[in-house]
Amino acid sequence: MTTSDEVTITAYPDGPLLVRGAASLQTVEGEPIEVTRRTVALCRCGLSTIKPFCDGTHKAAGFRTDV
Ligand code: FES
């Protein structure tokens, strides 16, 4: 069970990490990365053109995960 202010990260099989909740995103330098939605998909295939976000390229690339 989740509460409304809880952040959850869901690893989608063969796809991105879906972050739900009020998470803040930043670069390694600590600069904020603008997030306009309460749910964001983070690329884990490394092929997205809009990193750190997923742009769907993983599908065409045939990206596969164990989890
Ligand atoms: S996981 Fe979707 S583009 Fe990388």
Side-chain angles (χ1 to χ4, degrees):
M1 181 176 224
T2 62
T3 60
S4 61
D5 59 348
E6 184 175 0
V7 174
T8 62
I9 302 174
T10 306
Y12 271 78
D14 306 333
L17 300 174
L18 235 62
V19 182
R20 293 184 175 95
S24 61
L25 204 57
Q26 64 183 28
T27 67
V28 293
E29 292 83 18
E31 296 297 320
I33 297 173
E34 184 180 13
V35 174
T36 58
R37 299 177 180 186
R38 226 175 127 69
T39 299
V40 294
L42 299 179
C43 176
R44 66 173 169 157
C45 75
L47 300 172
S48 174
T49 58
I50 57 169
K51 294 181 194 82
F53 305 106
C54 169
D55 68 358
T57 301
H58 62 270
K59 288 181 187 171
F63 177 65
R64 294 288 177 259
T65 61
D66 293 333
V67 178

